[in-house]
Amino acid sequence: MARRRVGLFVTCLVDFFRPEVGFASIRLLEAAGCDVVVPEVQTCCGQPAWNSGDRQGAEALAVAVIDAFTGLDAVVAPSGSCIGMLRQFPAVLGSAHARHDEAVALAARAFELTSFLVDELSFEPAPVQASSASAVTYHDACSGLRELGIQAQPRALLAAAGIAVTEMDAATVCCGFGGTFCVKYPEISGGMVDDKLASIERSGADTLVTGDLGCLLNIEGRLARLGGPVRALHVAEILAPEESKGGK
Amino acid sequence: MTLATQSRNFPEQVRVARADGNLQQALGRLKFGLTLMRGAAVDRLPEFERLRDEAAAIRDHTLTHLDHYLLRFEQAVTERGGHVHFAVDAESANAIILEICREAGARKVTKGKSMVTEEIELNEHLAAHGIECLETDLGEYIVQLRRERPSHIVAPAIHVLKSQVADAFAEHHGEAPPGGRDEAASLMAEARAVIRRHFLEADVGITGANFAIAETGTTVIVTNEGNGDLTQSLPKVHIAVTGIEKVVPTLEDASTLIRLLSRSATGQEAAVYNTFSTGPRRAEDPDGPEAFHVVLVDNGRSSMLGSEFQEMLRCIRCGACLNHCPVYGQVGGQAYGSVYPGPMGAVLTPSLAGIDAAGHLPNASTFCGACEAVCPVRIPLPKMMRHWREREFESGLAPRTQRLGLGIWRFAARRPRLYRTLAAAGARLLRIAGGRRGYLRRLPLGRGWTAWRDLPAPAGETFHAAWRRRRHER
């Protein structure tokens, strides 16, 4: 099969906070036999506007994403939340919009990283050294789980990499991030993330892995505030092969 | 608008709820109680998902032809000797019910559980006209004694601990019965003894109706305590009060919905009582009311027809969305300031009370989608909350700081080069502010975040800057 040309949608949170997640995603996609390109003009999927009721703002950014990712076999992001948004683009533009058909086409080839690797490429990552993952538990980010049906894929990748997952009892319950929600209603968000931390603690894991940076920053931020041994990683970070020295 | 709320004070009410130890203890039970029971009941019914599709289709069909089915229902009730009253709003519903009570010479009215009568504040209205209105559902009775509103549409006193029930009974019933007030069973027995007396004294019984069946003119109540049956069969007059959207075409349709309702609400295969009321007592009947009235309340519902909120009218009030909502699980029902809390309330309350009064409710959601995942009639609740945010944004009601922040972000996000420059500068700045520890404890303009969490500091160089640099270095 011809190598797929995959456009990496970096996401604004990965760009700003944790670029390593983007590079890890590229290494994984390349290990899976893809040619990865990173369109330069990308910024954000527009979800903050869409979920704040700003239709026009969301529309403008949807068009910008469509422009940035034309001519590629797939658009992949290390985030179920952003891909969930890309899948919404036909609804964002509406059926009367001149770019509606392109939005439909983009939505059909937009994939969250782990589901792309497993469902589209049947990829199995190389084993990861045990030291980098002693006891892992996985938080299912809401958009990926309930909008895209992502639950088995990251676990399959972790298993293939030799990483055992100790399930927490409330893996599918929201961590309380919710975009602007977490700053608009901090008491509620704070209570929710504390419930998540309690669930992680009951699992006995020392590493929290998840597939969305919003959840990750929220959970990691609360872990840091309380102080404790649990570290938080994006699933791409734990799975990706080491960076080869000296470039390609 | 027609539904009175205290939803404007949501943030304050949240703080009160989060600080209320008793409430938090009560909510803790919810998280692992009703949700698990529902899950088990769904697992035992292989056709559950298919039933959800059927139920949504039944509700959609009925709503599309609502005028037709309402008239058919009215005709069927009238043919069987009952009376149907259409109430355009809360005021007219209350006036209709008061008039029926007066004609019956009523001094005392018993009530089964009914959210619509909570919505229209019927108890207060009747009391203001000298008619005592007594709740007979145990949860509603407790809430009435505590002078509160229900905190859950199915379990109205879910926020109350057993010890608080004992306190309320001590205040209102006086000396403890021989069984004491330590055990739930003895509290229930005490309530039963008190409420029984009222059943026998009541002149009028008022219930809600989970469904109103058009083909037979039947109202249906789905209950677990039997109080609804005593409320509607012992007094001379029975008034069923419900929303216009509760009509269903046939008995068969009602049975499909009932199969979903009990499982979704409490995880029961069937509720203990599923009672069908068709007309007043006939000559050959051994018992039943002499008069049967149905009050169908609009109160803003018809304005949802044909709008982006029409699917909300599918709701059968099972409460599953509340039980599975992590936001509801943090704050309970009363913080919402509306008789309709949780996800269903976040859509319905602004529909009935106006978005200006209830703007917080559709905003106080992470859009996690747990509500939609369990809704027996597949209402796209997050999508509808988002529609309310759109209405709010378009009418300029969204908070100014939010609009300003969004405006700046939008301006930059549409200009990739500017965005890159700002992001690169911001990431560097926060990297420095994060210090050796790599976390920020405080953040200007970011108190909402740092009140609870540290902010993990960025790596310093953005992905796009690093990507560009690496490509040049190659």
Side-chain angles (χ1 to χ4, degrees), chain B residues 311-387:
Chain B
E311 286 158 305
M312 187 62 224
L313 294 172
R314 288 181 190 161
C315 179
I316 57 174
R317 306 289 192 270
C318 70
C321 61
L322 280 62
N323 302 339
H324 289 78
C325 177
V327 172
Y328 182 93
Q330 294 298 325
V331 301
Q334 287 168 334
Y336 291 81
S338 163
V339 294
Y340 299 117
M344 60 80 72
V347 178
L348 193 57
T349 302
S351 301
L352 304 183
I355 187 63
D356 50 337
H360 278 296
L361 306 194
N363 278 289
S365 165
T366 64
F367 287 167
C368 81
C371 49
E372 183 177 2
V374 296
C375 176
V377 287
R378 299 197 191 279
I379 301 171
L381 289 155
K383 184 177 97 175
M384 299 202 157
M385 288 182 230
R386 202 172 41 68
H387 282 321

Side-chain angles (χ1 to χ4, degrees), chain A residues 8 10 12 14-19 22-23 26 36 38-44 46-57 60-61 88 142 146-147 169 173-174 176-178 181-195 202 214 217-218 220-222 224-225 243 248, chain B residues 10-11 14-15 18 31-32 326-327 330-331 360 363-370 373 386-387 389-390 393-394 402 406 409-410 412-416 419-420 422-423 426-427 430 437 439-441 448-459 461-468 470-471 474:
Chain A
L8 182 71
V10 178
C12 45
V14 167
D15 177 49
F16 190 82
F17 282 102
R18 208 127 156 176
F23 291 111
I26 292 173
V36 182
V38 185
E40 269 208 49
V41 290
Q42 59 176 303
T43 58
C44 170
Q47 193 175 174
W50 181 241
N51 285 349
S52 301
D54 175 9
R55 276 196 94 105
Q56 281 185 328
L61 284 159
Q88 292 275 316
C142 296
R146 279 179 277 268
E147 289 172 37
D169 48 22
V173 177
C174 180
F177 174 64
F181 169 86
C182 69
V183 290
K184 283 200 301 200
Y185 301 100
E187 289 88 359
I188 307 175
S189 174
M192 288 165 74
V193 73
D194 277 350
D195 282 357
R202 284 194 296 272
L217 294 171
N218 182 39
E220 188 191 355
R222 184 61 177 162
R225 173 62 55 90
E243 202 159 354
K248 304 183 287 186
Chain B
F10 180 74
V14 163
R15 278 188 277 280
R18 291 292 300 152
K31 283 173 205 164
F32 296 102
V327 172
Q330 294 298 325
V331 301
H360 278 296
N363 278 289
S365 165
T366 64
F367 287 167
C368 81
R386 202 172 41 68
H387 282 321
R389 297 184 191 182
E390 282 169 1
F393 186 85
E394 280 155 17
Q402 184 189 329
L406 199 62
W409 166 84
R410 189 171 76 168
R414 292 172 66 179
R415 291 162 179 80
Y419 184 88
R420 297 265 172 279
L422 292 175
L430 289 188
R437 192 166 152 266
Y439 292 98
L440 286 86
R441 276 192 166 271
W449 181 277
T450 54
W452 282 88
R453 295 150 285 235
D454 288 355
L455 183 71
E461 189 178 30
T462 64
F463 174 89
H464 286 290
W467 177 250
R468 187 183 293 184
R470 289 186 191 197
R471 286 204 311 175
R474 277 184 190 179

Side-chain angles (χ1 to χ4, degrees), chain A residues 179-217:
Chain A
T180 56
F181 169 86
C182 69
V183 290
K184 283 200 301 200
Y185 301 100
E187 289 88 359
I188 307 175
S189 174
M192 288 165 74
V193 73
D194 277 350
D195 282 357
K196 181 55 70 176
L197 261 55
S199 185
I200 295 168
E201 192 179 342
R202 284 194 296 272
S203 78
D206 60 15
T207 305
L208 180 275
V209 176
T210 188
D212 249 296
L213 206 57
C215 314
L216 187 67
L217 294 171

Side-chain angles (χ1 to χ4, degrees), chain B residues 34-107:
Chain B
L34 290 169
T35 58
L36 295 182
M37 295 196 299
R38 175 200 172 270
V42 169
D43 289 345
R44 287 193 299 268
L45 189 71
E47 67 266 38
F48 189 81
E49 293 303 313
R50 181 175 58 76
L51 281 180
R52 289 173 76 192
D53 293 332
E54 281 178 28
I58 290 168
R59 301 298 291 130
D60 281 349
H61 169 83
T62 315
L63 292 168
T64 308
H65 306 284
L66 190 58
D67 52 344
H68 169 75
Y69 287 113
L70 284 172
L71 290 174
R72 274 200 65 181
F73 176 75
E74 180 188 32
Q75 191 188 348
V77 171
T78 311
E79 281 167 6
R80 287 159 182 78
H83 307 275
V84 173
H85 311 263
F86 289 100
V88 66
D89 56 16
E91 195 183 358
S92 78
N94 283 329
I96 290 164
I97 296 163
L98 177 63
E99 184 57 29
I100 298 169
C101 291
R102 276 183 172 156
E103 271 180 29
R107 306 289 308 161

Side-chain angles (χ1 to χ4, degrees), chain A residues 35-188:
Chain A
D35 286 331
V36 182
V37 294
V38 185
E40 269 208 49
V41 290
Q42 59 176 303
T43 58
C44 170
C45 65
Q47 193 175 174
W50 181 241
N51 285 349
S52 301
D54 175 9
R55 276 196 94 105
Q56 281 185 328
E59 194 180 307
L61 284 159
V63 168
V65 174
I66 293 170
D67 285 338
F69 285 89
T70 48
L72 295 162
D73 296 329
V75 180
V76 174
S79 160
S81 177
C82 306
I83 292 301
M85 185 64 211
L86 263 62
R87 297 257 177 107
Q88 292 275 316
F89 281 180
V92 172
L93 297 190
S95 54
H97 196 281
R99 311 292 300 274
H100 181 260
D101 290 353
E102 290 171 80
V104 172
L106 180 78
R109 55 173 207 273
F111 299 95
E112 181 274 343
L113 177 69
T114 64
S115 66
F116 186 69
L117 291 172
V118 172
D119 300 340
E120 299 296 311
L121 303 178
S122 305
F123 171 70
E124 290 198 2
V128 169
Q129 294 201 339
S131 63
S132 65
S134 33
V136 164
T137 195
Y138 195 86
H139 163 69
D140 292 288
C142 296
S143 314
L145 175 69
R146 279 179 277 268
E147 289 172 37
L148 308 175
I150 293 163
Q151 191 167 25
Q153 298 91 329
R155 289 173 174 81
L157 292 171
L158 289 166
I163 300 166
V165 173
T166 311
E167 295 290 348
M168 65 177 116
D169 48 22
T172 61
V173 177
C174 180
C175 73
F177 174 64
T180 56
F181 169 86
C182 69
V183 290
K184 283 200 301 200
Y185 301 100
E187 289 88 359
I188 307 175

